[in-house]
Each structure stands twice: as C-alpha cells, then as structure tokens.
Amino acid sequence: MAAYNKADLERRMKGAVESLKSDFSGLRTGRASTSLLDPVTVDVYGANMPLNQVATVSVPEPRMITVQVWDKSNVTPVDKAIRSAGLGLNPVVDGQMLRLPIPDLTEERRKELAKLVGQYAEKARIAVRNVRRDGNDQIKQDEKKNEISEDEKKRFENEVQKLTDKTIADIDALAVHKEKEILGK
C-alpha cells in the first residue's frame, strides 16, 4: 500500500493556515480581547501550558484585560509569561489578579505588531514546507518499494508542489491583510 496520501497532506497544510489565523486573532488592532492572550504559554507544574488552563481571562472594559490566576504560586510565572510574549502588555499584579491595560496603538507599536505578523507567517510557511518534505519523502519511499512508477512519482511531486504553492499564497494573502489592518492602510 502506498504511503503517499494527498488528503492527509492537504489537511496538515490547512491546519498550518488555521493555526496562523488563530495566531493572528491574538494580534490586536486597538481593543481588548481575550484572544489577545491565546499565544501565551506559562511554564508551571513542569510543563508549558496555555494561559487559559491556569487562569480565567476576561475583558471588563474595552481597554482592559484581567487575568485571575487560580493558584497563588502561579502568579509570578503568569506575569513573566505575559511580559515575555512580545505583545507589549505590562501586567499590574493585584494579589491573584493581573490587570493588563491596553495601551494606545502608536506608530512604533503598529510596526512591532506588523513584524510579529511576518514572524507568524514565516512559522506557517515553514510548517507547510515541512509537510511538503514529508509528502515527497513518502512518494520516494513508494517508488523505492516499486509501488508507484517514475511517472506517478513525478505527477505526485507536482501535485504536492502545487498544493504547497497554493497554501503559501493563502498564508501570504492573510499576512498582507493583517498587516494592512494593523498599520491602518
């Protein structure tokens, strides 16, 4: 049985795009949102955990996010994780509650967020290229086992490349749209 599975490669590439969309939802355009903290992971209990698994995140005001940490011993790691996430947020610790005032988007901050868009997009492109590599490796294995002919190998490799090109074009379009949204163009 051939190892090459186009549907699986498509699913994995779509997963990279969906992950990118999720990352982009965490980049704000001026209003507070709980999704802003989605990319934040906290090093607690010997593991990296998403913030929403160690605290309750809420938005009481349009320009304020509150994080209610469940375990008092995790307040410092949560504070550290939010500060080091590159989101430009500086939590104010009040017991087990962290208040995150959302600063106005300055031109400098907009440029920082635009750079972050580029970094997220590049991570997604790398993920897609890794899927392409896996697919090509499967195709080569199938050919070595004489499960597919050399012509089929070429055709499958072309399919994988077309799928890769289309997915990367989708990623680029998403990145351009998000940059324009952030820069206000």
Side-chain angles (χ1 to χ4, degrees), residues 22-23 25-26 33-41 50-52 57 87:
S22 173
D23 287 346
S25 73
S33 166
T34 57
S35 63
L36 231 157
L37 299 176
D38 285 350
V40 177
T41 58
L51 180 62
N52 63 7
V57 180
L87 300 172

Side-chain angles (χ1 to χ4, degrees), residues 1-7 9-10 13 131-144 146-165:
M1 178 84 193
Y4 171 68
N5 183 345
K6 183 179 178 185
L9 295 178
E10 282 182 30
M13 286 186 186
V131 172
R132 175 186 62 190
R133 184 194 62 227
D134 292 347
N136 285 335
D137 288 350
Q138 290 170 348
I139 292 167
K140 287 174 187 168
Q141 286 174 359
D142 289 347
E143 187 193 27
K144 280 184 182 175
N146 292 322
E147 293 179 0
I148 61 172
S149 68
E150 193 172 324
D151 289 342
E152 286 176 312
K153 175 188 170 213
K154 291 278 188 219
R155 187 170 51 87
F156 290 155
E157 285 176 343
N158 285 337
E159 281 180 5
V160 170
Q161 187 58 48
K162 284 179 184 173
L163 184 61
T164 302
D165 293 343

Side-chain angles (χ1 to χ4, degrees), residues 14-81:
K14 283 181 184 173
V17 173
E18 291 305 313
S19 176
L20 177 67
K21 286 179 183 177
S22 173
D23 287 346
F24 280 175
S25 73
L27 294 177
R28 65 190 169 83
T29 55
R31 290 187 49 124
S33 166
T34 57
S35 63
L36 231 157
L37 299 176
D38 285 350
V40 177
T41 58
V42 185
D43 187 19
V44 291
Y45 310 121
N48 270 344
M49 301 176 77
L51 180 62
N52 63 7
Q53 291 185 7
V54 295
T56 303
V57 180
S58 60
V59 180
E61 302 172 26
R63 302 194 64 66
M64 174 77 67
I65 298 175
T66 58
V67 179
Q68 180 68 47
V69 182
W70 301 328
D71 185 350
K72 194 172 194 171
S73 65
N74 293 336
V75 172
T76 304
V78 168
D79 179 40
K80 183 179 174 186

